[in-house]
Amino acid sequence: MTTPDTVPPISFDEIITKVRSLIRPAFTISLAFFAQALIISTDVMMLGWLGVEQLASSGFVARLFMLGFLLAMGFNITIPPLVGQALGAGNRVKARQITQQIFWVVWFTGCISGLAMSKILPLYLGVIDQPTTIEQYAYTYGFWIWLAIPFANMTSFFRLFMTIHKRTEPFVIVALSLVVVNFVLDYVLIFGFWFIPALGIQGASLATFIVSVLHVGALGWCAYTMAPYKAHNLFKGILVFGRIFDRGTRQVTNILSTGFPISLRMM
């Protein structure tokens, strides 16, 4: 009989193997978030070329964007414990239903966050007492930015979904590719090119929105077509709410009770 005193120690090779298995997904996730930060940085850089007022107004909007993004981000973090537990028990049907529940919670929370931030912006600008010009630039820039919030949250959803299936390279490739796409779109939409008129600060936010939609579309396509995600059947019956939120697999209370405190702490 094995006792705590007779359990063999973990070998150095086993430790190295475990460390490598942790470092690889951690590095790819960090790289993907770095790429997303580069997309935002490109907006800031190019708006700085337009003028100080445009740059300042985008900064005020970006702060609220991050609040709105983080408000829904916590619900994504429930994917590893809730979905991972179902997968560990070999129950793929339950795992898919829980994943779909998180999908819709994140989407609706993202939409609510975008709407809330659009209403908070005038109050925020009023408190810090900014000139009318900066306020107008902020409203113009914010229009597409608020619409991008739910898509930004869905990007994080797909990343965590892919991570629990132990294949993280696709979302890194997509993120790095979209850094280039965003750079081109920013330049073209802000300053104009050929038959495309210069949209100024509105062009920067429109580029962010387009890239956010492309990001979700690309990751969704990967989840739909690539192994091992395809075996999960994420999109099977995803519009049948009665089945997704069946009483036997409903985890909305756990998703909200776990995710909301995490969101508040991150904010």
Side-chain angles (χ1 to χ4, degrees):
M1 180 177 180
T2 302
T3 64
D5 293 333
T6 61
V7 173
I10 299 175
S11 67
F12 180 76
D13 290 339
E14 289 176 320
I15 294 174
I16 293 299
T17 301
K18 290 291 184 183
V19 170
R20 285 178 178 173
S21 66
L22 292 173
I23 288 178
R24 185 175 180 179
F27 176 75
T28 52
I29 292 171
S30 298
L31 194 58
F33 276 103
F34 175 72
Q36 192 165 7
L38 283 179
I39 292 174
I40 301 297
S41 300
T42 303
D43 282 1
V44 173
M45 178 185 70
M46 292 196 178
L47 287 176
W49 294 346
L50 282 180
V52 175
E53 291 181 329
Q54 289 91 332
L55 182 60
S57 61
S58 67
F60 297 135
V61 173
R63 289 184 180 90
L64 293 182
F65 172 84
M66 285 305 301
L67 286 178
F69 172 73
L70 293 174
L71 182 60
M73 180 61 187
F75 301 112
N76 281 320
I77 299 177
T78 60
I79 292 175
L82 297 180
V83 180
Q85 183 180 25
L87 287 175
N91 192 337
R92 282 192 168 272
V93 174
K94 182 178 180 180
R96 180 174 65 248
Q97 288 177 299
I98 295 173
T99 308
Q100 290 172 342
Q101 290 173 31
I102 298 173
F103 177 97
W104 286 116
V105 169
V106 171
W107 173 255
F108 285 120
T109 306
C111 292
I112 293 171
S113 296
L115 179 61
M117 294 305 111
S118 69
K119 301 301 181 183
I120 291 174
L121 179 61
L123 301 176
Y124 176 42
L125 295 174
V127 169
I128 58 179
D129 193 22
Q130 292 300 301
T132 303
T133 306
I134 289 182
E135 289 186 359
Q136 291 303 316
Y137 279 136
Y139 297 144
T140 301
Y141 182 68
F143 177 81
W144 292 107
I145 292 296
W146 309 137
L147 294 176
I149 287 179
F151 293 96
N153 286 120
M154 293 313 302
T155 297
S156 297
F157 166 86
F158 280 114
R159 284 176 184 163
L160 282 168
F161 170 76
M162 292 178 173
T163 300
I164 64 171
H165 289 283
K166 300 179 182 180
R167 188 173 179 185
T168 56
E169 294 86 354
F171 65 68
V172 176
I173 295 172
V174 169
L176 293 175
S177 300
L178 287 176
V179 169
V180 179
V181 173
N182 182 73
F183 183 88
V184 174
L185 281 177
D186 264 338
Y187 185 86
V188 169
L189 294 177
I190 293 174
F191 303 106
F193 181 77
W194 198 19
F195 63 91
I196 301 176
L199 299 178
I201 192 171
Q202 188 178 41
S205 61
L206 178 57
T208 300
F209 173 74
I210 293 173
V211 168
S212 298
V213 174
L214 290 175
H215 209 158
V216 172
L219 294 182
W221 178 252
C222 290
Y224 182 71
T225 61
M226 297 179 65
Y229 323 125
K230 186 177 180 180
H232 191 73
N233 291 322
L234 172 63
F235 298 105
K236 182 179 180 181
I238 199 168
L239 298 178
V240 185
F241 291 96
R243 186 194 58 77
I244 294 173
F245 294 96
D246 178 74
R247 182 177 298 179
T249 58
R250 190 162 52 217
Q251 296 285 329
V252 175
T253 301
N254 288 337
I255 296 169
L256 296 177
S257 62
T258 303
F260 190 63
I262 294 175
S263 292
L264 290 180
R265 186 174 61 192
M266 294 176 71
M267 291 172 64

